[in-house]
Amino acid sequence: EAGVTQFPSHSVIEKGQTVTLRCDPISGHDNLYWYRRVMGKEIKFLLHFVKESKQDESGMPNNRFLAERTGGTYSTLKVQPAELEDSGVYFCASSQVGPTEYYYGYTFGSGTRLTVV
Amino acid sequence: AQSVTQLGSHVSVSEGALVLLRCNYSSSVPPYLFWYVQYPNQGLQLLLKYTTGATLVKGINGFEAEFKKSETSFHLTKPSAHMSDAAEYFCAVTTRRSALIFGKGTTLSVSS
């Protein structure tokens, strides 16, 4: 089966520009998560979709970040306008819904490395 | 709330030596614990996980970890390091219905 696909793999943009990251989860995985790792720090949760609904967006840093999941399939994460501190690696993960959150485990994508200059 | 502390941001071992990566967690409810590995230019790959049951958990590539509730630890070990084990390793904790909380990661270097 295909894994979790993220693109682009790298993006370099100028401060103030807009960037959209995309994640294609494994087919049939209703859970979709976004995480971010800022250089030198831990990987932090951003938000969680169940199908097209936002289950938990407590980790979103501010209103410059907008996540969507069209029709419960792929998801996009838009940063507008981008700031220097948004640089980092953005990971997406997906999982099947099970009796507990991690019953079936997560599958992570390779991440998008975002550099804001 | 949960948290994870990985002791040592860098660990260096010789090929064939024991690998020990330390992880301590904090959780007010019974935790689920995970170790993930990230090889260069790849995504996070699950090494092993503890949810319930046996406290010694075996994972892929010869790694294992032991859940010690009294010590709030979940250290990762491998008896004999290979060059291919060089990567960054992440410990993570969660509970039944919450997001994964990761540690800062430990980079493992293996020398010949």
Side-chain angles (χ1 to χ4, degrees):
Chain A
E1 92 188 331
V4 175
T5 305
Q6 292 186 247
F7 47 93
S9 57
H10 293 81
S11 180
V12 180
I13 62 171
E14 293 184 351
K15 177 182 172 181
Q17 289 186 324
T18 297
V19 63
T20 300
L21 314 181
R22 173 166 168 153
C23 170
D24 286 53
I26 291 174
S27 178
H29 281 196
D30 287 339
N31 283 317
L32 187 148
Y33 308 84
W34 283 97
Y35 285 81
R36 175 176 77 168
R37 189 183 191 197
V38 173
M39 185 176 292
K41 302 210 170 174
E42 62 270 28
I43 301 168
K44 286 198 170 179
F45 167 77
L46 295 178
L47 86 160
H48 170 203
F49 283 100
V50 178
K51 297 185 180 178
E52 67 276 9
S53 300
K54 292 176 184 174
Q55 183 79 7
D56 180 357
E57 53 184 331
S58 61
M60 295 288 266
N62 51 61
N63 59 11
R64 295 185 294 103
F65 289 75
L66 175 63
E68 295 179 322
R69 190 176 182 191
T70 307
T73 55
Y74 70 91
S75 175
T76 58
L77 180 64
K78 180 188 289 187
V79 184
Q80 179 181 28
E83 298 290 344
L84 298 178
E85 64 265 25
D86 300 331
S87 296
V89 180
Y90 291 76
F91 291 103
C92 175
S94 71
S95 71
Q96 293 175 272
V97 174
T100 62
E101 189 76 16
Y102 303 102
Y103 187 86
Y104 294 112
Y106 278 173
T107 302
F108 278 85
S110 299
T112 294
R113 183 174 297 277
L114 174 65
T115 303
V116 182
V117 297
Chain B
Q2 301 87 44
S3 66
V4 173
T5 301
Q6 289 185 240
L7 301 175
S9 58
H10 286 86
V11 170
S12 296
V13 300
S14 299
E15 195 171 22
L18 171 72
V19 175
L20 171 61
L21 304 183
R22 300 177 186 273
C23 172
N24 288 90
Y25 71 91
S26 172
S27 178
S28 57
V29 297
Y32 295 169
L33 294 158
F34 303 78
W35 276 99
Y36 283 86
V37 61
Q38 186 180 20
Y39 299 102
N41 299 317
Q42 294 187 29
L44 295 166
Q45 180 181 1
L46 180 66
L47 272 178
L48 48 80
K49 65 180 178 182
Y50 168 79
T51 54
T52 58
T55 56
L56 181 62
V57 180
K58 295 187 184 300
I60 62 172
N61 302 337
F63 285 93
E64 62 182 36
E66 186 170 10
F67 170 58
K68 292 188 176 181
K69 185 178 178 180
S70 61
E71 298 177 9
T72 61
S73 69
F74 190 58
H75 301 332
L76 181 71
T77 61
K78 181 174 180 178
S80 177
H82 294 160
M83 297 293 286
S84 60
D85 294 327
E88 190 164 19
Y89 293 79
F90 296 91
C91 182
V93 65
T94 188
T95 59
R96 279 180 63 90
R97 295 288 176 190
S98 65
L100 282 174
I101 306 297
F102 285 89
K104 290 187 177 182
T106 298
T107 299
L108 175 67
S109 299
V110 183
S111 58
S112 58

